[in-house]
Short mmCIF file of all heavy atoms in Angstrom, two decimals:
data_model
loop_
_atom_site.label_atom_id
_atom_site.label_comp_id
_atom_site.label_asym_id
_atom_site.label_seq_id
_atom_site.Cartn_x
_atom_site.Cartn_y
_atom_site.Cartn_z
N HIS A 8 5.42 7.19 -1.68
CA HIS A 8 6.28 6.01 -1.68
C HIS A 8 5.56 4.71 -2.00
O HIS A 8 6.17 3.76 -2.47
CB HIS A 8 6.98 5.87 -0.32
CG HIS A 8 7.93 6.99 -0.03
ND1 HIS A 8 9.02 7.29 -0.81
CD2 HIS A 8 7.95 7.90 0.99
CE1 HIS A 8 9.68 8.31 -0.30
NE2 HIS A 8 9.05 8.70 0.78
N GLN A 9 4.23 4.65 -1.73
CA GLN A 9 3.52 3.38 -1.93
C GLN A 9 2.54 3.42 -3.09
O GLN A 9 1.96 2.39 -3.44
CB GLN A 9 2.79 2.99 -0.64
CG GLN A 9 3.75 2.74 0.52
CD GLN A 9 3.09 2.04 1.70
OE1 GLN A 9 1.89 2.18 1.91
NE2 GLN A 9 3.86 1.29 2.45
N GLY A 10 2.32 4.60 -3.66
CA GLY A 10 1.51 4.71 -4.87
C GLY A 10 0.02 4.47 -4.65
O GLY A 10 -0.70 4.15 -5.60
N LEU A 11 -0.48 4.62 -3.43
CA LEU A 11 -1.91 4.42 -3.18
C LEU A 11 -2.69 5.66 -3.61
O LEU A 11 -2.17 6.78 -3.60
CB LEU A 11 -2.15 4.16 -1.68
CG LEU A 11 -1.49 2.92 -1.07
CD1 LEU A 11 -1.87 2.80 0.39
CD2 LEU A 11 -1.87 1.66 -1.82
N ASP A 12 -3.96 5.46 -3.97
CA ASP A 12 -4.79 6.63 -4.29
C ASP A 12 -5.20 7.32 -2.99
O ASP A 12 -4.94 6.83 -1.88
CB ASP A 12 -6.00 6.23 -5.14
CG ASP A 12 -6.94 5.26 -4.43
OD1 ASP A 12 -7.02 5.29 -3.18
OD2 ASP A 12 -7.59 4.44 -5.11
N LYS A 13 -5.87 8.46 -3.13
CA LYS A 13 -6.17 9.30 -1.97
C LYS A 13 -7.05 8.58 -0.95
O LYS A 13 -6.81 8.66 0.26
CB LYS A 13 -6.85 10.59 -2.44
CG LYS A 13 -6.99 11.63 -1.34
CD LYS A 13 -7.50 12.95 -1.90
CE LYS A 13 -7.60 14.00 -0.78
NZ LYS A 13 -8.08 15.30 -1.31
N ALA A 14 -8.06 7.88 -1.43
CA ALA A 14 -8.99 7.19 -0.52
C ALA A 14 -8.27 6.08 0.26
O ALA A 14 -8.45 5.96 1.49
CB ALA A 14 -10.16 6.62 -1.30
N ALA A 15 -7.46 5.29 -0.45
CA ALA A 15 -6.73 4.21 0.22
C ALA A 15 -5.69 4.75 1.18
O ALA A 15 -5.47 4.20 2.26
CB ALA A 15 -6.07 3.31 -0.84
N ALA A 16 -5.03 5.85 0.78
CA ALA A 16 -4.02 6.46 1.64
C ALA A 16 -4.65 7.01 2.92
O ALA A 16 -4.08 6.89 4.00
CB ALA A 16 -3.29 7.58 0.89
N LYS A 17 -5.84 7.60 2.79
CA LYS A 17 -6.52 8.12 3.99
C LYS A 17 -6.93 6.99 4.91
O LYS A 17 -6.81 7.10 6.14
CB LYS A 17 -7.74 8.94 3.59
CG LYS A 17 -8.42 9.60 4.79
CD LYS A 17 -9.46 10.62 4.39
CE LYS A 17 -10.02 11.33 5.62
NZ LYS A 17 -11.01 12.38 5.24
N GLN A 18 -7.39 5.88 4.35
CA GLN A 18 -7.77 4.73 5.16
C GLN A 18 -6.57 4.21 5.94
O GLN A 18 -6.66 3.87 7.11
CB GLN A 18 -8.31 3.65 4.24
CG GLN A 18 -9.59 2.92 4.63
CD GLN A 18 -10.48 3.55 5.66
OE1 GLN A 18 -11.15 4.55 5.39
NE2 GLN A 18 -10.52 2.99 6.85
N LYS A 19 -5.41 4.18 5.26
CA LYS A 19 -4.19 3.70 5.93
C LYS A 19 -3.76 4.69 7.01
O LYS A 19 -3.29 4.28 8.08
CB LYS A 19 -3.07 3.48 4.93
CG LYS A 19 -1.81 2.91 5.59
CD LYS A 19 -0.87 2.23 4.63
CE LYS A 19 0.26 1.54 5.40
NZ LYS A 19 1.21 0.85 4.53
N ALA A 20 -3.91 5.99 6.75
CA ALA A 20 -3.56 7.01 7.74
C ALA A 20 -4.41 6.84 9.00
O ALA A 20 -3.91 6.94 10.13
CB ALA A 20 -3.75 8.41 7.15
N ILE A 21 -5.70 6.56 8.80
CA ILE A 21 -6.60 6.34 9.94
C ILE A 21 -6.15 5.11 10.73
O ILE A 21 -6.11 5.12 11.97
CB ILE A 21 -8.06 6.17 9.45
CG1 ILE A 21 -8.59 7.51 8.90
CG2 ILE A 21 -8.95 5.66 10.58
CD1 ILE A 21 -9.91 7.38 8.18
N GLU A 22 -5.79 4.05 10.01
CA GLU A 22 -5.34 2.82 10.66
C GLU A 22 -4.06 3.05 11.45
O GLU A 22 -3.89 2.52 12.56
CB GLU A 22 -5.13 1.73 9.62
CG GLU A 22 -4.69 0.39 10.19
CD GLU A 22 -5.66 -0.16 11.23
OE1 GLU A 22 -6.89 0.08 11.12
OE2 GLU A 22 -5.20 -0.83 12.18
N MET A 23 -3.14 3.86 10.90
CA MET A 23 -1.88 4.15 11.60
C MET A 23 -2.14 4.96 12.87
O MET A 23 -1.52 4.72 13.91
CB MET A 23 -0.90 4.89 10.69
CG MET A 23 -0.36 4.06 9.52
SD MET A 23 0.32 2.46 10.03
CE MET A 23 1.59 2.97 11.18
N LEU A 24 -3.06 5.91 12.81
CA LEU A 24 -3.40 6.69 14.01
C LEU A 24 -4.02 5.78 15.07
O LEU A 24 -3.76 5.94 16.27
CB LEU A 24 -4.36 7.83 13.65
CG LEU A 24 -3.78 8.96 12.80
CD1 LEU A 24 -4.86 9.97 12.45
CD2 LEU A 24 -2.64 9.66 13.53
N ARG A 25 -4.82 4.83 14.63
CA ARG A 25 -5.41 3.87 15.58
C ARG A 25 -4.32 3.02 16.22
O ARG A 25 -4.34 2.76 17.42
CB ARG A 25 -6.43 2.99 14.85
CG ARG A 25 -7.13 2.00 15.79
CD ARG A 25 -8.16 1.17 15.07
NE ARG A 25 -9.33 1.97 14.70
CZ ARG A 25 -9.66 2.29 13.45
NH1 ARG A 25 -8.91 1.86 12.44
NH2 ARG A 25 -10.73 3.01 13.20
N LYS A 26 -3.32 2.60 15.41
CA LYS A 26 -2.25 1.76 15.91
C LYS A 26 -1.42 2.44 17.00
O LYS A 26 -0.93 1.78 17.92
CB LYS A 26 -1.31 1.35 14.76
CG LYS A 26 -1.75 0.11 14.02
CD LYS A 26 -0.64 -0.36 13.07
CE LYS A 26 -1.00 -1.69 12.46
NZ LYS A 26 0.10 -2.20 11.61
N VAL A 27 -1.24 3.75 16.87
CA VAL A 27 -0.42 4.46 17.87
C VAL A 27 -1.26 4.98 19.04
O VAL A 27 -0.79 5.77 19.86
CB VAL A 27 0.39 5.62 17.24
CG1 VAL A 27 1.38 5.09 16.23
CG2 VAL A 27 -0.52 6.67 16.60
N GLY A 28 -2.52 4.55 19.10
CA GLY A 28 -3.32 4.83 20.29
C GLY A 28 -4.03 6.16 20.31
O GLY A 28 -4.40 6.65 21.38
N ILE A 29 -4.26 6.77 19.15
CA ILE A 29 -5.00 8.04 19.11
C ILE A 29 -6.49 7.74 19.04
O ILE A 29 -6.94 7.03 18.12
CB ILE A 29 -4.55 8.91 17.91
CG1 ILE A 29 -3.13 9.41 18.17
CG2 ILE A 29 -5.51 10.07 17.67
CD1 ILE A 29 -2.56 10.30 17.10
N PRO A 30 -7.29 8.24 19.99
CA PRO A 30 -8.72 7.94 20.00
C PRO A 30 -9.45 8.62 18.84
O PRO A 30 -9.01 9.65 18.34
CB PRO A 30 -9.18 8.49 21.35
CG PRO A 30 -8.18 9.54 21.70
CD PRO A 30 -6.89 9.09 21.12
N SER A 31 -10.56 8.03 18.42
CA SER A 31 -11.39 8.57 17.33
C SER A 31 -10.56 8.96 16.12
O SER A 31 -10.60 10.11 15.65
CB SER A 31 -12.20 9.79 17.82
OG SER A 31 -12.95 9.49 18.96
N PRO A 32 -9.77 8.02 15.56
CA PRO A 32 -8.88 8.38 14.46
C PRO A 32 -9.61 8.87 13.21
O PRO A 32 -9.08 9.68 12.46
CB PRO A 32 -8.11 7.08 14.19
CG PRO A 32 -8.98 5.99 14.72
CD PRO A 32 -9.68 6.59 15.91
N GLU A 33 -10.86 8.40 12.99
CA GLU A 33 -11.63 8.85 11.83
C GLU A 33 -11.90 10.36 11.89
O GLU A 33 -11.96 11.03 10.85
CB GLU A 33 -12.97 8.11 11.74
CG GLU A 33 -12.84 6.61 11.50
CD GLU A 33 -12.64 5.81 12.79
OE1 GLU A 33 -12.56 6.44 13.87
OE2 GLU A 33 -12.56 4.58 12.70
N LYS A 34 -12.02 10.88 13.10
CA LYS A 34 -12.23 12.33 13.27
C LYS A 34 -10.88 13.06 13.32
O LYS A 34 -10.70 14.11 12.69
CB LYS A 34 -13.01 12.56 14.57
CG LYS A 34 -13.16 14.03 14.92
CD LYS A 34 -13.76 14.18 16.32
CE LYS A 34 -13.73 15.65 16.75
NZ LYS A 34 -14.14 15.81 18.16
N ARG A 35 -9.95 12.50 14.06
CA ARG A 35 -8.66 13.17 14.28
C ARG A 35 -7.84 13.31 12.99
O ARG A 35 -7.01 14.20 12.88
CB ARG A 35 -7.85 12.40 15.32
CG ARG A 35 -8.43 12.43 16.71
CD ARG A 35 -8.28 13.79 17.34
NE ARG A 35 -8.59 13.79 18.75
CZ ARG A 35 -8.43 14.83 19.56
NH1 ARG A 35 -7.94 15.95 19.07
NH2 ARG A 35 -8.76 14.76 20.82
N VAL A 36 -8.07 12.43 12.04
CA VAL A 36 -7.28 12.46 10.81
C VAL A 36 -7.47 13.78 10.05
O VAL A 36 -6.60 14.22 9.29
CB VAL A 36 -7.65 11.25 9.91
CG1 VAL A 36 -9.00 11.45 9.23
CG2 VAL A 36 -6.56 10.99 8.89
N ASP A 37 -8.60 14.46 10.28
CA ASP A 37 -8.88 15.73 9.59
C ASP A 37 -8.57 16.95 10.45
O ASP A 37 -8.92 18.08 10.07
CB ASP A 37 -10.35 15.77 9.15
CG ASP A 37 -10.66 14.73 8.08
OD1 ASP A 37 -9.81 14.55 7.17
OD2 ASP A 37 -11.73 14.08 8.16
N GLU A 38 -7.94 16.74 11.60
CA GLU A 38 -7.60 17.87 12.47
C GLU A 38 -6.16 18.33 12.23
O GLU A 38 -5.35 17.63 11.62
CB GLU A 38 -7.80 17.48 13.93
CG GLU A 38 -9.26 17.24 14.28
CD GLU A 38 -9.49 16.95 15.75
OE1 GLU A 38 -8.51 16.66 16.46
OE2 GLU A 38 -10.66 16.99 16.18
N TYR A 39 -5.87 19.54 12.73
CA TYR A 39 -4.56 20.16 12.52
C TYR A 39 -3.67 19.94 13.75
O TYR A 39 -4.17 19.66 14.85
CB TYR A 39 -4.73 21.65 12.25
CG TYR A 39 -5.37 21.94 10.91
CD1 TYR A 39 -6.76 21.98 10.78
CD2 TYR A 39 -4.59 22.13 9.77
CE1 TYR A 39 -7.36 22.22 9.55
CE2 TYR A 39 -5.18 22.37 8.53
CZ TYR A 39 -6.56 22.40 8.43
OH TYR A 39 -7.14 22.63 7.21
N PRO A 40 -2.35 20.08 13.58
CA PRO A 40 -1.44 19.83 14.71
C PRO A 40 -1.77 20.62 15.98
O PRO A 40 -1.63 20.08 17.08
CB PRO A 40 -0.07 20.25 14.14
CG PRO A 40 -0.18 19.96 12.68
CD PRO A 40 -1.60 20.30 12.32
#
């Protein structure tokens, strides 16, 4: 929907996880449900 490249999209995903209070978002972003 926003047309970001993969690196920028991952950075935003990490920021969103941080916003909702998930600890260590840089690590958690690569984990499975």
Side-chain angles (χ1 to χ4, degrees):
H8 295 300
Q9 297 193 332
L11 299 182
D12 62 29
K13 190 173 182 179
K17 185 169 185 178
Q18 225 18 72
K19 183 160 187 180
I21 291 170
E22 181 57 32
M23 291 309 302
L24 291 176
R25 182 178 289 112
K26 273 190 173 184
V27 297
I29 290 181
S31 306
E33 296 85 358
K34 174 189 172 187
R35 293 289 191 174
V36 75
D37 294 320
E38 293 184 346
Y39 291 87

